[in-house]
Amino acid sequence: MYTELEIVNHILQIAGEDQTPTLNTTHPAVVAARQALAGYNKEFQGAGWWFNKEFGVKLLPNDEGKVAIPSNMLSFQVTRCLLQPSSPACQARFVRRGKWVYDTVKHTNIIGMAVWADLITMLDIPDLPANAGTYLKHLAAQRYFVDTDGDLQQGRELENRLMRAWATFRDEQLRVTGANALNGYTGRRMRAGVQNLKW
């Protein structure tokens, strides 16, 4: 597992800057590396992976009837509600507005009922799986380097490291999610045998 400090120091090393013993500094290089890492991390986690998706989370209204959305949420999609549980229109009716669920039909954030949603959450860097942390480390270093320097030879090496980290990360995702072509529509039909052939 990686810490933010470890990844920031990796970025600083790639950028040819001195590493820092702490993140509590106003050194311009450290501040720039932290800001860049925050953006790359949000972009990476925002895609939604096996480790930061939560399904069917029940969100309850407060005393005012407002439904708060968790502060670490990157993506929000209502999957069912009390009015019409399986209606796509009901699901699309509720969206995020600031930190509250908003009803686009009634034009209010006073919902007054529970909604269930699928969420993509923003995890702290130490909470990421090891392969995800490794990929984020190389992604942040490569992007930061390209944005600030652009030396082609070193850029190619960083790109190679990033691609190796991506391959390892995707292998882990396939392993964890149990992705298998035989479970898809075509695979299931092939396993069931071809039926109703007409000559």
Side-chain angles (χ1 to χ4, degrees):
M1 309 303 171
Y2 290 92
T3 64
E4 181 183 358
L5 178 61
E6 287 174 310
I7 296 179
V8 165
N9 275 327
H10 180 68
I11 293 170
L12 293 172
Q13 178 186 4
I14 295 299
E17 299 282 350
D18 291 333
Q19 294 189 353
T20 179
T22 178
L23 295 175
N24 297 324
T25 177
T26 57
H27 190 283
V30 176
V31 171
R34 288 190 75 191
Q35 289 173 342
L37 174 58
Y40 305 140
N41 187 21
K42 187 177 287 188
E43 179 185 338
F44 166 58
Q45 290 197 47
W49 305 98
W50 77 92
F51 55 83
N52 70 338
K53 287 182 181 176
E54 299 194 31
F55 300 99
V57 177
K58 185 177 183 180
L59 303 174
L60 297 169
N62 64 14
D63 293 339
E64 299 174 347
K66 295 180 178 181
V67 177
I69 296 175
S71 60
N72 64 340
M73 188 272 307
L74 294 171
S75 176
F76 164 85
Q77 179 183 5
V78 169
T79 53
R80 67 186 175 103
C81 57
L82 292 176
L83 294 178
Q84 298 163 318
S86 60
S87 166
C90 183
Q91 294 168 14
R93 167 181 177 171
F94 298 106
V95 298
R96 176 185 184 171
R97 293 274 174 94
K99 64 178 184 175
W100 306 106
V101 175
Y102 183 81
D103 186 332
T104 60
V105 174
K106 292 184 177 179
H107 312 290
T108 181
N109 61 6
I110 307 297
I111 306 299
M113 63 179 169
V115 295
W116 286 260
D118 291 346
L119 308 177
I120 296 175
T121 59
M122 181 76 167
L123 301 180
D124 292 333
I125 290 173
D127 294 336
L128 296 176
N131 288 334
T134 301
Y135 176 70
L136 177 61
K137 176 182 90 167
H138 291 295
L139 174 71
Q142 190 267 346
R143 292 262 185 94
Y144 188 84
F145 178 78
V146 168
D147 291 346
T148 59
D149 190 316
D151 178 271
L152 291 178
Q153 184 172 354
Q154 188 172 358
R156 278 192 220 99
E157 175 56 31
L158 292 173
E159 184 69 29
N160 289 336
R161 290 182 194 174
L162 178 61
M163 295 314 295
R164 287 192 301 271
W166 173 250
T168 303
F169 173 68
R170 292 295 286 177
D171 287 347
E172 177 74 0
Q173 181 181 9
L174 292 174
R175 185 188 67 76
V176 170
T177 58
N180 187 331
L182 294 176
N183 293 331
Y185 174 75
T186 303
R188 287 195 315 269
R189 289 209 46 194
M190 290 174 66
R191 285 186 297 158
V194 180
Q195 300 175 5
N196 300 324
L197 283 178
K198 294 183 180 179
W199 300 96

